[in-house]
Amino acid sequence: LVLSNVKISPNPTLGTSIVSFTISHEEEFSLGIYDVHGRIVSTIFSGIANTGKHQFILDSNTSLMTNGVYFVGIKTLSSFQAYKLVVIQ
């Protein structure tokens, strides 16, 4: 999975953020939010994405996410890429 133009906005977030990125070719992947220990907090998407631009809503207004640093992780069969997300409730 080759990503480009990865953005998380707003970041820091008070609740809802949007992660957007462009994928260079179709591939199966999962998008999730991870805590600082690498544990999955929430799975946002799991499946096959087509080539092109994608946007996903990240909702941190849950009991599972308190103030702190999290990571938006994009995982494929061969790679894992993480991007920092700061939550301020």
Side-chain angles (χ1 to χ4, degrees):
L1 181 68
V2 178
L3 298 175
S4 61
N5 304 319
V6 178
K7 295 178 185 165
I8 302 172
S9 180
N11 189 13
T13 182
L14 297 173
T16 302
S17 288
I18 295 179
V19 60
S20 61
F21 50 86
T22 303
I23 297 176
S24 64
H25 61 274
E26 182 179 288
E27 187 167 353
E28 186 172 350
F29 76 96
S30 64
L31 173 72
I33 300 175
Y34 296 79
D35 67 16
V36 294
H37 302 290
R39 295 179 294 231
I40 187 81
V41 175
S42 177
T43 299
I44 307 303
F45 176 83
S46 182
I48 296 174
N50 296 323
T51 301
K53 186 172 182 177
H54 297 272
Q55 290 187 334
F56 295 91
I57 296 173
L58 308 176
D59 185 7
S60 62
N61 288 322
T62 71
S63 61
L64 299 175
M65 295 182 72
T66 58
N67 289 346
V69 175
Y70 295 85
F71 295 92
V72 176
I74 301 171
K75 183 167 64 170
T76 67
L77 293 175
S78 61
S79 71
F80 180 82
Q81 298 176 41
Y83 303 88
K84 185 174 166 182
L85 172 67
V86 177
V87 174
I88 303 169
Q89 298 285 352

